[in-house]
Amino acid sequence: MTLRSFPALAALVVFVTFVVFAGAGAGPAFAAGPRGPAIEITVIHATQLDGGGTIDPLLRDLPQLTREQPFVRYNNYKVLARQELPLEIGKAAASELPNGRALAVTLVDEPKDAGGPRYHVRAEIGEPGKRAFLKLLEVTASSNEPFFVGGQSYQGGTLFLELVVRP
Amino acid sequence: MSLSHETLLELMSLADGELEGPDKERVERLLESDDEARQVVASLRGDEVGAWLAETMDRRAGASGADGVADAVMASIAGPAAVAAGGPNGASSAANVGSVARGANAWPALTVSGGKLASLAAARARRSPRLQLVASAGAAVLALAAGVALYVRAGTRHLDEHAPVASVFAPAVDVEAASAVAQRGVPGAGGGVEVNEIDAPSRGVSVFEIPVAAAAAVAKPSGASSIVVWVDDDPGSN
């Protein structure tokens, strides 16, 4: 091995490093989206169909809930959108809804970590120039525990917003 | 000893042959008049010390090839063919100078080692591959370790992503909010979703809670409850 082989060796090391990191990056580590806590928002359109409805395969666990109020009112569920936004203290993560309203979710304070992190989040749903649909909703939830906001009328049905804090 | 420190230094310089001119004459006059000074100089010039010192220095000089460095360099510059340039001690030889390597575009630096002349570039070329190999191997190991750590972490997160979205079911509790502003806390065992505050002016608000007891009946790892906040929309909206 001579001095001439050093650039080749250095290039090999850089390549291996890139492959290793890129391989890890292509996996689940970055598939979840931004680093740190995030709010996953799923917009669900629920309708009542006479001929029997279906449930979007993306809503794997919803069938168990459709026997309960208020889900029992509908038999057809379809996911319209799903996104994950980073949660920062005091900084609203905004998402536009299909009905023209906007949902804003804010992490209120530092997560409490007694027996696992608990996130205190605030949600607001409004529309410019109109009366707010939901002026304020504050909940405290652990990561991966969903909570729902329903009631918005949309195309003969209603919208359910499923909110989950992802660590 | 009555001689001063300065005088001793001067005597040592005289013994070493370093004094010249008026200083030398002055110290020599001192030797003529002072027995002690003569003894000091005699001891410094004594056979034991002087002979040993002279022999040692001559041997080292010869072994180092210092006397032949200039000639070796000039011979190398003159052409690739090595030219012998033996010094007074004959330390350098044609074979030694012949080890000087010549680069394609420039003359390499020379180094003298054990009486031999060698190219610095060649010496570096012999040493550097090992160092490069060790450094490269270290970098590769670090990169692999970082990659493994990332992958392990990724796998952990992957499991979290596939946690059930909402696998609890139970008779829902319908809490009709008479006021547009409702405040209530619904703490759940083992976590659960806790409603801190709801404010929906002039709208009917219902909170459907999925109790913990019912949640335990399904295979949800956290066993936590969940809630649905239902807000009545404006008539005719969308």
Side-chain angles (χ1 to χ4, degrees):
Chain A
M1 189 177 294
T2 65
L3 280 174
R4 289 182 180 178
S5 64
F6 180 71
L9 187 61
L12 179 63
V13 170
V14 170
F15 176 75
V16 168
T17 306
F18 174 79
V19 168
V20 168
F21 276 84
F30 301 122
R35 311 288 298 183
I39 186 75
E40 183 186 272
I41 303 168
T42 304
V43 181
I44 306 166
H45 185 212
T47 53
Q48 177 65 41
L49 301 179
D50 293 336
T54 59
I55 298 178
D56 196 313
L58 292 173
L59 304 168
R60 293 169 300 171
D61 301 296
L62 193 63
Q64 301 174 70
L65 293 175
T66 54
R67 286 171 285 183
E68 312 301 332
Q69 288 287 357
F71 298 102
V72 73
R73 303 172 188 172
Y74 309 94
N75 63 357
N76 190 64
Y77 290 87
K78 182 182 179 184
V79 172
L80 299 182
R82 174 174 281 172
Q83 65 180 138
E84 192 170 302
L85 302 173
L87 269 183
E88 297 179 37
I89 296 174
K91 186 176 179 181
S95 174
E96 188 175 351
L97 302 176
N99 58 3
R101 289 174 175 148
L103 166 68
V105 183
T106 308
L107 183 62
V108 177
D109 49 29
E110 286 285 346
K112 309 295 187 296
D113 202 8
R118 300 272 293 165
Y119 299 90
H120 183 194
V121 297
R122 175 189 301 141
E124 302 160 68
I125 299 174
E127 189 175 4
K130 294 187 178 180
R131 182 164 59 107
F133 173 76
L134 179 61
K135 187 176 180 182
L136 176 66
L137 169 63
E138 283 193 12
V139 302
T140 302
S142 301
S143 57
N144 300 317
E145 283 184 344
F147 61 95
F148 299 84
V149 177
Q152 297 184 77
S153 301
Y154 182 69
Q155 293 186 354
T158 191
L159 292 179
F160 281 97
L161 307 180
E162 182 194 56
L163 307 174
V164 190
V165 178
R166 299 298 186 192
Chain B
M1 182 176 288
S2 61
L3 297 173
S4 66
H5 180 65
E6 289 76 14
T7 303
L8 281 174
L9 290 177
E10 288 179 337
L11 292 173
M12 292 171 67
S13 298
L14 179 68
D16 292 340
E18 296 174 352
L19 282 184
E20 292 179 350
D23 291 338
K24 183 178 180 182
E25 293 173 1
R26 179 169 49 80
V27 176
E28 286 176 346
R29 283 196 299 273
L30 176 64
L31 290 178
E32 293 171 359
S33 61
D34 191 323
D35 291 340
E36 190 177 4
R38 280 197 298 275
Q39 291 175 359
V40 169
V41 173
S43 65
L44 289 173
R45 288 176 172 172
D47 292 340
E48 299 84 3
V49 177
W52 171 80
L53 186 61
E55 182 185 356
T56 302
M57 296 309 294
D58 287 345
R59 188 170 61 248
R60 288 189 178 181
S64 68
D67 292 338
V69 169
D71 292 338
V73 171
M74 295 308 295
S76 299
I77 293 172
V83 177
N89 298 314
S92 297
S93 67
N96 293 340
V97 178
S99 65
V100 175
R102 186 176 187 179
N105 301 318
W107 291 99
L110 297 176
T111 181
V112 179
S113 175
K116 293 184 177 180
L117 294 176
S119 165
L120 279 177
R124 288 184 186 128
R126 283 195 302 272
R127 287 195 304 267
S128 55
R130 284 182 296 228
L131 182 61
Q132 292 163 8
L133 191 60
V134 170
S136 301
V141 168
L142 284 176
L144 285 173
V148 169
L150 272 176
Y151 188 79
V152 169
R153 182 173 176 177
T156 303
R157 184 159 185 154
H158 182 69
L159 293 176
D160 289 340
E161 285 175 7
H162 289 81
V165 175
S167 60
V168 294
F169 73 98
V173 177
D174 191 354
V175 183
E176 289 289 340
S179 167
V181 179
Q183 287 194 15
R184 60 181 263 112
V186 188
V193 179
E194 179 181 347
V195 179
N196 305 115
E197 186 173 351
I198 303 173
D199 187 0
S202 305
R203 296 185 187 277
V205 177
S206 303
V207 177
F208 298 86
E209 179 188 1
I210 301 172
V212 177
V218 298
K220 191 171 193 301
S222 65
S225 63
S226 186
I227 56 110
V228 180
V229 176
W230 183 273
V231 182
D232 293 335
D233 205 350
D234 296 322
S237 175
N238 283 310

